[in-house]
Amino acid sequence: MIPELTATPVSTSVPEPLTKSARLWMPKRVIFTADALTEPFGQAMYERISSLDLPIEIAKNNRITGLRGADERETYRNAKNTLAIVNAPPGAFKLQPIPPSADWQMNLAEGCPAHCQYCYLAGSLSGPPVVRAYANLPKMLAHTATYEGTYPPNRTWQSSATDSDGASRPTTFEVSCYTDVLGIEHLTGSMAECIRYYGTREMAELRFVTKYDQVDSLLNLPHNGHTRARVSLNADTIARRLEGGTASVEARLQGIRKLAMPKELGGGGYPIGLVMAPIMPIPNWRDHYTALLDRMAEVLDFAQGGETVDMNVEFISHRFTPGSKDILLQWYPNTSLDMDEATRSEKRNKFGGTKYVYRPDEMKEMKAFFYAEWTKRFPKAPILYWT
């Protein structure tokens, strides 16, 4: 069910933490393409989804149809209620650099079941926002071995491809650029497949990020420290009004705590990461984000074998493009998200595209705040970047 979209004003007071697990996404329509069912992993997904008594169609011509509605809003509803199990096209095997998040982008799916009103997929993916999960995932994973030991140019999110002692760094692979991997895991099992695979690779590491809290199925997997589990967090007032269909911030924190706790204490023993995004200078933003940082420090205040938890952080400020703004306003016509170009700075990428970011003085002020407050609470947890 798609949440009702209203222009809820930003709260100026800091709300009490709300613990609310995300409701499992159950699509109204599940489509398997014929070629997806020729893959053993596609068959496994078919059995998993069949056990949930969801309606399944087989597309004989490998095309997904019936998504377009009378307008963009209806098309959005149709697509957001549809899961398509397909084979990733040949182009998906040619991995793209994805700094500063990781070295390479390897997608296990495209499209997300959540309803974030700033969605970065708007304008990034073509066509209606249907969730497409890949049945040939094991072949894609095996292919990533050819990228191990290779690094994109200008690899700035880590200083180099080697440690200070000259040892090679593992190559990192990001699988959650175009989906929320835990939002669909109960339907696909794709995240577990990735974690098991990278658990066997000595010179490769997996990275994923989520706004969901259903982590129990990942706790006992043999990740061998080769998967960094990350959670996306924001000020509670932003999450409540702009991140529909996701777990509450408190539930996400409890989920990442479970993943980080040592196995002997019932946790997953994963290295973890916190992604503060998208950071916005809302009214009283320092108070809201201070409350979030304080709560993060409380929840993650435990030792792992005498050492603090293996953790780092990424800071990402809100930005949008002209194209994404147009799409988002069609999807969420009543949004209270601030996308006023007059209050932003225009930034161009190397391909000539335009995006709107906060003005330099605002960026400088927010960056200084977050760096100081983070370092005060988590002196041993590196800051990977600010963007």
Side-chain angles (χ1 to χ4, degrees):
M1 182 175 179
I2 294 175
E4 194 68 28
L5 304 174
T6 58
T8 306
V10 177
S11 173
T12 56
S13 60
V14 178
E16 288 297 315
L18 168 71
T19 303
K20 179 177 177 291
S21 288
R23 180 182 297 177
L24 288 177
W25 180 56
M26 293 296 176
K28 294 180 179 179
R29 186 184 182 203
V30 181
I31 307 168
F32 280 78
T33 58
D35 62 354
L37 287 174
T38 66
E39 299 287 339
F41 193 66
Q43 287 285 344
M45 283 198 278
Y46 185 90
E47 293 176 11
R48 177 187 287 259
I49 293 168
S50 295
S51 71
L52 298 173
D53 294 326
L54 294 174
I56 295 176
E57 307 169 27
I58 309 299
K60 300 299 184 184
N61 58 2
N62 292 325
R63 295 183 61 214
I64 310 302
T65 59
L67 297 174
R68 292 289 179 186
D71 54 27
E72 282 299 319
R73 183 66 189 142
E74 185 178 355
T75 298
Y76 172 88
R77 283 197 299 268
N78 293 342
K80 280 287 192 172
N81 282 312
T82 301
L83 169 65
I85 309 300
V86 304
N87 277 348
F93 287 77
K94 183 175 174 56
L95 304 189
Q96 299 299 314
I98 191 64
S101 176
D103 293 317
W104 302 105
Q105 173 181 333
M106 201 290 295
N107 299 310
L108 57 79
E110 291 187 353
C112 178
H115 303 276
C116 298
Q117 294 177 37
Y118 52 76
C119 181
Y120 289 123
L121 299 186
S124 299
L125 298 177
S126 61
V130 60
V131 177
R132 291 179 172 85
Y134 296 141
N136 54 346
L137 176 62
K139 292 178 180 176
M140 299 173 72
L141 289 171
H143 180 69
T144 65
T146 65
Y147 285 81
E148 291 179 19
T150 69
Y151 308 96
N154 302 320
R155 188 179 192 243
T156 57
W157 75 280
Q158 287 183 348
S159 57
S160 70
T162 58
D163 290 312
S164 57
D165 61 0
S168 296
R169 287 188 185 274
T171 307
T172 54
F173 297 88
E174 172 69 67
V175 293
S176 47
C177 293
Y178 287 154
T179 191
D180 191 303
V181 293
L182 286 194
I184 61 174
E185 177 66 6
H186 59 292
L187 300 165
T188 67
S190 298
M191 195 65 236
E193 184 77 7
C194 292
I195 291 171
R196 291 190 194 97
Y197 175 79
Y198 283 102
T200 69
R201 310 304 299 175
E202 289 299 321
M203 291 306 299
E205 291 182 354
L206 175 68
R207 291 163 60 81
F208 75 87
V209 66
T210 185
K211 292 188 181 83
Y212 287 78
D213 63 320
Q214 285 87 3
V215 302
D216 287 355
S217 66
L218 308 184
L219 296 181
N220 295 318
L221 296 177
H223 59 82
N224 294 320
H226 296 176
T227 291
R228 187 171 294 275
R230 292 138 67 224
V231 64
S232 178
L233 299 169
N234 214 324
D236 203 58
T237 187
I238 294 175
R240 292 192 196 194
R241 70 186 176 92
L242 295 180
E243 297 178 352
T246 66
S248 69
V249 171
E250 180 66 20
R252 296 177 215 173
L253 281 169
Q254 296 301 327
I256 201 69
R257 176 182 168 86
K258 268 190 190 180
L259 290 170
M261 286 285 284
K263 285 183 177 289
E264 57 268 26
L265 297 179
Y270 285 85
I272 63 168
L274 304 177
V275 181
M276 304 273 291
I279 294 168
M280 302 177 187
I282 59 175
N284 296 336
W285 62 267
R286 290 176 189 80
D287 293 340
H288 287 282
Y289 284 112
T290 295
L292 173 60
L293 288 161
D294 285 346
R295 186 59 186 149
M296 288 159 56
E298 292 170 357
V299 172
L300 298 172
D301 182 20
F302 61 88
Q304 185 165 317
E307 298 291 335
T308 54
V309 64
D310 182 349
M311 179 174 71
N312 56 38
V313 68
E314 300 153 75
F315 294 118
I316 303 172
S317 60
H318 179 246
R319 67 276 321 281
F320 62 92
T321 67
S324 68
K325 177 181 178 178
D326 289 344
I327 293 171
L328 289 171
L329 289 178
Q330 292 179 68
W331 289 354
Y332 308 111
N334 299 318
T335 186
S336 58
L337 176 64
D338 177 16
M339 291 187 287
D340 182 1
E341 293 93 340
T343 65
R344 302 288 185 118
S345 287
E346 189 175 308
K347 193 172 182 180
R348 293 189 178 274
N349 63 27
K350 62 183 179 181
F351 304 108
T354 298
K355 62 182 174 183
Y356 291 95
V357 301
Y358 293 115
R359 290 174 172 170
D361 56 340
E362 283 184 304
M363 291 286 267
K364 184 178 179 180
E365 184 180 2
M366 290 191 295
K367 181 178 180 179
F369 168 84
F370 280 99
Y371 273 52
E373 295 297 320
W374 178 266
T375 303
K376 183 166 63 178
R377 292 168 180 80
F378 305 106
K380 296 183 179 180
I383 298 171
L384 294 187
Y385 59 86
W386 168 279
T387 186

